[in-house]
Amino acid sequence: MAYAKIYKSWQDDPEAFWMAEAKKIDWVKPPSYALDISRAPLYRWFADAQVNTCHNAVDRHVKAGRGDQVAIIHDSPITGTVSRMTFAELKAATARLAGALRDKGIAKGDRVIIYMPMVPEAIVAMLACARIGAVHSVVFGGFAAHELAVRIDDATPKAIIGASCGLEPGRTIAYKPLIDGAVEQAKHKVDFTIILQRDQLPCDLTPGFDHDWHAVQEGVAPAACVPVAGDHPAYILYTSGTTGAPKGVVRPTAGHLVALNWTMKNVYNVDPGDVFWAASDVGWVVGHSYICYGPLIHGNTTVVFEGKPVGTPDAGTFWRVIQDHKVKSFFTAPTAFRAIKRDDPKGELIGDYDISSLRALYLAGERADPDTIIWAQKIMGVPVYDHWWQTETGAVIAGNPAGIEALPVKIGSPTVAMPGYDIHILDAAGQDMPVGELGAIAIKLPLPPGTLPTLWNAEDRFIKSYLTTFPGYYETGDAGRLDEDGYLYVMARTDDVINVAGHRLSTGAMEEILSNHPDVAECAVIGVSDALKGQLPMGFVCTNKGTTRSDDEIIADCIRMVRDEIGPVAAFKLIAVVDRLPKTRSGKILRRTMVAIADNADFKVPATIDDPAVLDEIRAAVKPLGYGGT
Ligand code: COA
Ligand code: AMP
């Protein structure tokens, strides 16, 4: 078995394995060793190397004679346009924007926030930062001004690169007021912005502070690639944790290059020149790794898709994109397929297109339910590979190494550990569970190249969140089991993180917002099952005695507050006013029991419950929301 041999070669000598993979990257100064253990359990990879990400993603392909190959295809069914940019054009565009950033005072290590929709300029902006060693932090467009402000205060960027608007089906979202609002709210003051004006909704620019994307680049000398140390942060990507303060996942430059390059052939089975498409958003880790960096580092053409799986214009849009651009490997979240299946249950629209270029579909971002996998296999006629990873790892932890050897698919399992990952299922005391039994999924340290070395400005939080529960292991926050063949099954989160349409959100953050309502005495937010989005947040609030406002008014306020503070992406619409929340005698809210009631699942009434009668109140409260069974 080729996979077993490769995995064993990594197990036997991780240093040699990663040094060999590092040879596929262009270094300014190659690493003299792979792993630095001097600060264990904090590890660094290729720390003594000098390298540049933009050079590896762009310039080296031009130098190798691939300048005329298309690097980016932008396909926007929302605007009805398709455009292409070659590697030579991408090099010129990134060097120009990087030159403008440099001329405006951005230097190695400075942070730049990017808040843009799915346009090729978003990729140019990311690469332009990488070109001069600036650290970008991309914020998803579905987050509201408050979330943007939180990230501004944590990352303390010198600049924001934004666009005038984003386009959702049937709705143009003015981004500039959100950027202005965030700049206003944040304590940290940014020096300037660069704004891409889109024809659909241009915006006003404040002279001296806001710079037009094109005007700011006029006449500037293009910037060369600036070498950075192997452990220099390539970017910071904020992700949801258990509190309202998002975690700033740091991506180290050299490990990122080596790890992503490895996955392109070994997991996604594409060769340089092939077209790779990840239907996600640049604001998420999938977008970072597989819309921007992975395909470009490996010399693939990447598709930047501005649309939705349905409604732009119909459930056949994915098949059209695969056909038109001859996509070889395709990656999206299961929720996108559930949306297509809902609109076109028999998958009839696929018959209108020729998707013979496609070799496989890859799913991640949330648990892939068996129905969705089976449906996708049936209508697409290609292997469907579930794979499991996290923002923290930046690439696959467990997957099907189809480029090495396509392992048999076991539906419900993202398959097996990739080289670099030693996956364990632990009990509460940190002992390995017997095969087949459910426990916390933990990864033996060190994590492989490209994974987070720390959280931005929060080393203590990094240690506390990930390295403390199981000393010597990284705690993934997921629960699951391994079978006798080493296949992993990822079942649920062990914390307050929920997954809504493949978007990672924190119920704790929503609770913090609800508890700020003057009429709310107490609240709980849980993740309930949803046939389309996988999970949806559901809130329960207890109001203050004597409030003069009606329950309906309070509910409307709560929904608006979450939308205004976190953003529409929170999809927070289910909420009930209750007299009491179910608690243990020591006062802990029984959120898991509430989830079981809403999902109409079997559960045991916890022995520690204070008053079991409260459960009936919860049952009654979820019914009008369409939950709790019939
Ligand atoms: N900018 C502004 N608003 C955005 C946005 C963006 N980039 N992305 C989403 N939103 C808004 C939506 O318009 C929607 O607003 P509404 O409440 O006014 O309708 C809200 O945020 C929720 O969006 P979403 O969760 O995407 O739901 P949806 O109903 O619009 O679409 C799916 C559902 C399943 C079609 C869509 O989520 C999808 O394609 N997901 C799969 C792919 C994916 O991106 N996965 C991410 C990680 S791989
Ligand atoms: P994110 O950091 O947004 O990529 O979310 C990571 C989380 O999404 C993981 O910790 C899991 O809870 C969930 N997840 C991602 N991929 C899968 C998968 N293939 N199967 C089950 N859960 C997944």
Side-chain angles (χ1 to χ4, degrees):
M1 272 174 72
Y3 154 77
K5 213 168 133 199
I6 289 177
Y7 188 79
K8 184 158 188 320
S9 78
W10 162 73
Q11 273 180 317
D12 290 347
D13 193 346
E15 182 78 13
F17 182 91
W18 292 118
M19 285 301 273
E21 287 308 318
K23 292 210 161 62
K24 297 168 190 165
I25 294 303
D26 272 14
W27 303 94
V28 178
K29 175 177 172 287
S32 59
Y33 60 94
L35 182 64
D36 176 350
I37 57 166
S38 60
R39 288 193 67 217
L42 304 175
Y43 297 93
R44 298 188 304 165
W45 290 94
F46 311 115
D48 75 341
Q50 290 283 317
V51 69
N52 182 276
T53 297
C54 186
H55 170 82
N56 276 279
V58 185
D59 297 40
R60 70 162 166 167
H61 305 308
V62 178
K63 214 164 137 197
R66 307 169 70 91
D68 291 338
Q69 183 195 311
V70 173
I72 300 175
I73 299 170
H74 180 235
D75 189 308
S76 170
I78 299 200
T79 59
T81 58
V82 175
S83 66
R84 291 176 175 77
M85 193 187 275
T86 65
F87 274 101
E89 288 165 340
L90 182 58
K91 180 181 166 193
T94 57
R96 226 174 16 243
L97 181 63
L101 289 169
R102 177 203 55 204
D103 290 359
K104 295 212 67 60
I106 305 289
K108 193 196 293 194
D110 289 340
R111 273 82 57 211
V112 174
I113 278 189
I114 299 173
Y115 187 70
M116 296 180 92
M118 287 294 287
V119 289
E121 288 84 353
I123 308 292
V124 172
M126 293 163 81
L127 292 166
C129 290
R131 199 169 182 89
I132 54 172
V135 182
H136 64 65
S137 186
V138 183
V139 179
F140 177 58
F143 282 124
H146 171 77
E147 287 290 314
L148 187 52
V150 166
R151 286 153 176 78
I152 293 173
D153 280 334
D154 197 71
T156 59
K158 274 196 176 160
I160 298 177
I161 305 180
S164 58
C165 68
L167 306 171
E168 284 289 288
R171 181 159 83 93
T172 302
I173 295 148
Y175 274 19
K176 187 59 175 22
L178 298 171
I179 296 172
D180 291 343
V183 165
E184 177 76 30
Q185 277 180 43
K187 286 191 201 75
H188 170 79
K189 292 300 155 205
V190 297
D191 295 350
F192 65 94
T193 76
I194 295 178
I195 304 291
L196 175 75
Q197 293 279 21
R198 299 192 78 189
D199 294 343
Q200 293 78 12
L201 187 67
C203 61
D204 290 338
L205 300 179
T206 305
F209 182 69
D210 297 322
H211 302 276
D212 172 75
W213 171 276
H214 296 288
V216 79
Q217 300 186 47
E218 259 165 38
V220 303
C225 292
V226 173
V228 300
D231 63 345
H232 180 77
Y235 66 77
I236 306 162
L237 179 57
Y238 288 89
T239 191
S240 299
T242 44
T243 68
K247 294 168 164 172
V249 169
V250 172
R251 187 75 56 218
T253 299
H256 184 227
L257 288 164
V258 173
L260 290 186
N261 191 61
W262 185 87
T263 61
M264 292 310 297
K265 178 64 194 167
N266 294 294
V267 177
Y268 302 108
N269 201 12
V270 284
D271 293 308
D274 289 339
V275 180
F276 182 88
W277 178 27
S280 176
D281 188 286
V282 285
W284 306 112
V285 69
V286 176
H288 281 64
S289 294
Y290 294 110
I291 297 173
C292 182
Y293 291 112
L296 296 178
I297 291 164
H298 194 246
N300 292 106
T301 300
T302 184
V303 179
V304 174
F305 174 71
E306 188 179 35
K308 298 260 174 176
V310 293
T312 61
D314 57 31
T317 206
F318 275 9
W319 323 134
R320 179 196 57 79
V321 173
I322 293 168
Q323 166 191 275
D324 288 358
H325 308 307
K326 303 204 166 24
V327 173
K328 196 163 174 197
S329 284
F330 177 40
F331 181 166
T332 193
T335 189
F337 269 78
R338 290 195 295 268
I340 296 172
K341 188 172 150 213
R342 195 178 59 172
D343 276 21
D344 180 19
K346 293 194 182 132
E348 285 168 343
L349 290 173
I350 207 166
D352 298 342
Y353 302 93
D354 172 6
I355 64 157
S356 56
S357 61
L358 192 72
R359 293 285 175 274
L361 166 68
Y362 294 82
L363 296 175
E366 57 172 329
R367 184 173 155 72
D369 53 292
D371 281 359
T372 301
I373 298 184
I374 293 164
W375 187 80
Q377 283 173 334
K378 198 172 107 209
I379 69 146
M380 296 176 82
V382 296
V384 177
Y385 298 126
D386 179 17
H387 61 324
W388 169 63
W389 49 299
Q390 309 183 313
T391 304
E392 288 85 344
T393 63
V396 53
I397 308 169
N400 199 316
I404 302 173
E405 168 190 21
L407 296 178
V409 169
K410 293 195 195 181
I411 289 177
S413 166
T415 318
V416 292
M418 293 294 97
Y421 290 97
D422 181 4
I423 298 176
H424 289 249
I425 307 294
L426 303 180
D427 65 16
Q431 299 302 310
D432 278 294
M433 303 283 287
V435 167
E437 285 190 26
L438 194 68
I441 310 177
I443 299 161
K444 192 123 209 285
L445 294 173
L447 292 177
T451 54
L452 81 171
T454 189
L455 293 173
W456 182 254
N457 277 340
E459 192 169 285
D460 288 352
R461 187 176 181 195
F462 170 69
I463 294 170
K464 195 161 164 268
S465 305
Y466 302 106
L467 307 184
T468 304
T469 309
F470 305 117
Y473 294 86
Y474 164 84
E475 182 184 8
T476 65
D478 282 305
R481 61 185 170 86
L482 284 163
D483 75 6
E484 61 288 353
D485 298 322
Y487 278 56
L488 179 72
Y489 292 77
V490 182
M491 308 309 291
R493 289 287 303 190
T494 56
D495 57 14
D496 297 336
V497 167
I498 59 169
N499 211 309
V500 179
H503 307 139
R504 177 166 157 180
L505 298 166
S506 161
T507 53
M510 296 182 210
E511 289 181 2
E512 282 177 29
I513 293 169
L514 300 186
S515 58
N516 282 335
H517 190 291
D519 293 314
V520 170
E522 220 186 355
C523 66
V525 178
I526 59 172
V528 297
S529 298
D530 179 70
L532 174 65
K533 296 194 177 187
Q535 281 184 298
L536 279 177
M538 181 184 281
F540 298 84
V541 293
C542 307
T543 56
N544 286 321
K545 291 220 162 39
T547 173
T548 53
R549 311 200 63 225
S550 71
D551 287 357
D552 283 350
E553 284 171 326
I554 294 170
I555 284 174
D557 288 347
C558 288
I559 291 174
R560 203 191 51 246
M561 283 168 76
V562 174
R563 194 176 171 94
D564 286 352
E565 295 213 17
I566 295 182
V569 67
F572 181 75
K573 291 171 187 169
L574 299 171
I575 173 166
V577 172
V578 290
D579 281 342
R580 294 176 297 171
L581 294 170
K583 290 185 184 170
T584 61
R585 281 186 286 276
S586 60
K588 202 166 166 284
I589 299 172
L590 291 164
R591 292 184 181 77
R592 275 175 214 287
T593 309
M594 294 166 77
V595 172
I597 290 173
D599 287 349
N600 200 25
D602 292 339
F603 69 94
K604 273 204 195 105
V605 176
T608 53
I609 195 164
D610 183 40
D611 179 0
V614 185
L615 299 182
D616 292 331
E617 292 172 28
I618 297 297
R619 259 185 215 105
V622 299
K623 291 269 180 208
L625 302 175
Y627 280 81
T630 48

